[in-house]
Amino acid sequence: MNSVLLVDDERDFADTLAERLRARGFAVRTAYRGEEALEALRRADSEVVVLDLGLPGMDGFEVLRAAHALRPQTEFVLLTADNSLDTAVTGMKLGARDYLVKPAKTEAVARAIEDAADRRRHRQSRLRMTETAKLAALGELAKGVAHEINNPLNIMLNEAGWIEDLLEDKEFTDCAQKPEMLRAVSRIHAQAERCKAITSKLLTLRRAPDAPGAATAPEFLVEVLRRREERARELGVRLETDIPDDFPALPYPPADLELVLSNLADNALDAMSGRGGMLRLGLTLEDGEAVMRVSDTGPGVEPSLQQRIFEPFFSTKEVGKGTGLGLAICWSLVEALGGRITLYSEQGRGARFSVRLPMTERKTEGTNG
């Protein structure tokens, strides 16, 4: 079912067209002013926006410019009484891909919407394929780098342990520098373990899904969140869950879903550090897919950064407080499971990650195996 936002200040026309489109199977929302349309897009994405250019106040071109910046993946179909070439060209430059002149028949509008939705799906499919290929290549590189780094790290840890053993000998009992030397060895241990944690995440970028056949009860996901209760309490964050009692088991191994949920939950807690708030886990069934939503009331993500949020090594955290690998790992694993992960966020109003996974046997072709 294609989701459509119909924007037109002629209420009777908009409502009538919306009903006719709904009768053809489209999920249609309506807005009668530009500001109302932008607010609707902030609340929820639409695959296609059918936009009248002759709007009062904020005109259609202004709405198109702002809406395209807000939802870059959305397709726009212009619907207007102005049939001049300049108007069409201006609209195309601002991001529209189709142009209909009023009065347009419902069939013509429906075809334009279907064509626009197909373009969006094909574009997103190409983007996913490109990102999967990039992550696969990066994963191979990361695997080699991680192994090469782990070898000297193990030597460093063994040598540091040997130094600690030496410092326990009697000849060092009265050594004035012994406390400082022990502190130095402890720092070596801590930093080496930190490096090993990073290389472990690098290896996870190339992690293949666990063998098919296992299933995860929804209660397991709740338990993954509950393991963070102590940290949440320290941060002043409330944990909430919204999972129907009769929700079926998800046809994916617990370890896979735990890895995804753990990264999303930990990122949310990091975002709310020092400000408190609420971390919520929701699970619903939509069109044959299990949809896991992890939302927080943190500062949100700037629109200019949202397109990069799943890139490896990209982080919005302070230097030294994040590797920038957690969300890349989530993206890679969810794609390997045959699903998709998306972010919806408004700066200052929190973030919501949605993980959609088919409730049928997962796809394994071309995954990160």
Side-chain angles (χ1 to χ4, degrees):
M1 181 184 293
N2 297 323
S3 60
V4 182
L5 176 62
L6 177 58
V7 187
D8 199 301
D9 64 314
E10 297 180 39
R11 286 178 175 263
D12 291 342
F13 169 78
D15 292 342
T16 300
L17 180 57
E19 285 303 316
R20 290 176 178 173
L21 291 173
R22 291 186 187 109
R24 287 166 170 76
F26 296 101
V28 184
R29 295 182 294 162
T30 55
Y32 309 109
R33 297 181 62 86
E35 296 83 357
E36 186 182 345
L38 294 177
E39 182 57 33
L41 286 175
R42 290 189 186 97
R43 289 196 303 270
D45 192 11
S46 287
E47 290 179 297
V48 182
V49 173
V50 179
L51 177 64
D52 178 25
L53 292 179
L55 297 172
M58 190 177 193
D59 69 30
F61 288 134
E62 292 177 285
V63 175
L64 178 57
R65 185 182 291 106
H68 188 64
L70 182 65
R71 297 288 186 182
Q73 298 300 318
T74 294
E75 287 284 333
F76 294 87
V77 176
L78 302 184
L79 184 61
T80 178
D82 185 351
N83 62 357
S84 69
L85 180 61
D86 288 344
T87 300
V89 170
T90 302
M92 300 302 174
K93 286 182 178 179
L94 291 175
R97 296 286 298 277
D98 211 341
Y99 185 91
L100 297 175
V101 178
K102 289 182 177 179
K105 293 183 178 180
T106 305
E107 289 76 9
V109 177
R111 280 197 303 272
I113 292 171
E114 289 170 348
D115 290 343
D118 284 342
R119 286 196 300 271
R120 173 179 163 130
R121 281 191 290 270
H122 291 156
R123 183 175 65 251
Q124 289 181 325
S125 178
R126 289 195 300 270
L127 286 173
R128 283 197 295 270
M129 290 173 64
T130 301
E131 290 301 321
T132 299
K134 285 166 57 180
L135 275 177
L138 180 61
E140 286 295 339
L141 174 63
K143 183 178 179 180
V145 171
H147 282 304
E148 289 299 319
I149 293 176
N150 276 339
N151 289 331
L153 282 176
N154 288 329
I155 295 173
M156 288 168 57
L157 287 169
N158 288 335
E159 294 298 320
W162 179 68
I163 293 173
E164 284 181 320
D165 292 340
L166 287 178
L167 290 174
E168 295 303 322
D169 288 348
K170 292 181 180 180
E171 59 186 284
F172 287 99
T173 302
D174 300 322
C175 178
Q177 287 77 33
K178 181 177 178 178
E180 185 176 345
M181 294 170 71
L182 286 172
R183 280 195 298 273
V185 172
S186 177
R187 285 197 294 271
I188 292 173
H189 264 294
Q191 295 305 314
E193 291 293 346
R194 181 184 174 198
C195 289
K196 290 195 73 172
I198 294 173
T199 58
S200 176
K201 286 191 173 183
L202 283 172
L203 289 171
T204 309
L205 273 176
R206 239 340 236 160
R207 182 184 186 278
D210 286 343
T216 301
E219 293 78 15
F220 177 81
L221 299 178
V222 176
E223 181 58 32
V224 173
L225 199 63
R226 282 178 181 160
R227 291 178 204 157
R228 285 148 179 81
E229 281 183 344
E230 183 175 349
R231 186 183 176 211
R233 203 162 33 243
E234 293 172 355
L235 296 174
V237 173
R238 301 189 319 277
L239 300 181
E240 294 185 3
T241 58
D242 182 14
I243 300 177
D245 293 335
D246 58 348
F247 202 93
L250 288 78
Y252 303 93
D256 291 342
L257 298 187
E258 179 178 12
L259 181 58
V260 173
L261 178 55
S262 294
N263 276 311
L264 294 178
D266 289 339
N267 266 11
L269 290 173
D270 289 342
M272 291 183 285
S273 179
R275 58 189 291 155
M278 185 269 291
L279 169 59
R280 186 171 185 271
L281 167 64
L283 195 59
T284 59
L285 276 176
E286 297 177 11
D287 299 326
E289 294 180 321
V291 185
M292 178 172 68
R293 292 186 173 92
V294 180
S295 56
D296 65 66
T297 56
V301 181
E302 294 181 22
S304 60
L305 303 180
Q306 291 181 24
Q307 299 302 309
R308 302 188 58 198
I309 202 73
F310 296 108
E311 292 180 10
F313 306 109
F314 178 80
S315 177
T316 58
K317 300 174 185 175
E318 296 177 20
V319 176
K321 291 191 176 181
T323 61
L325 290 173
L327 291 178
I329 290 168
C330 288
W331 195 95
S332 178
L333 183 52
V334 170
E335 286 285 314
L337 293 172
R340 59 197 185 280
I341 179 171
T342 55
L343 163 68
Y344 172 68
S345 178
E346 291 184 59
Q347 194 171 3
R349 300 178 65 178
R352 182 182 72 236
F353 287 90
S354 296
V355 177
R356 292 179 173 270
L357 293 166
M359 286 296 284
T360 54
E361 185 177 353
R362 68 164 182 249
K363 304 172 185 175
T364 55
E365 310 94 303
T367 62
N368 296 358

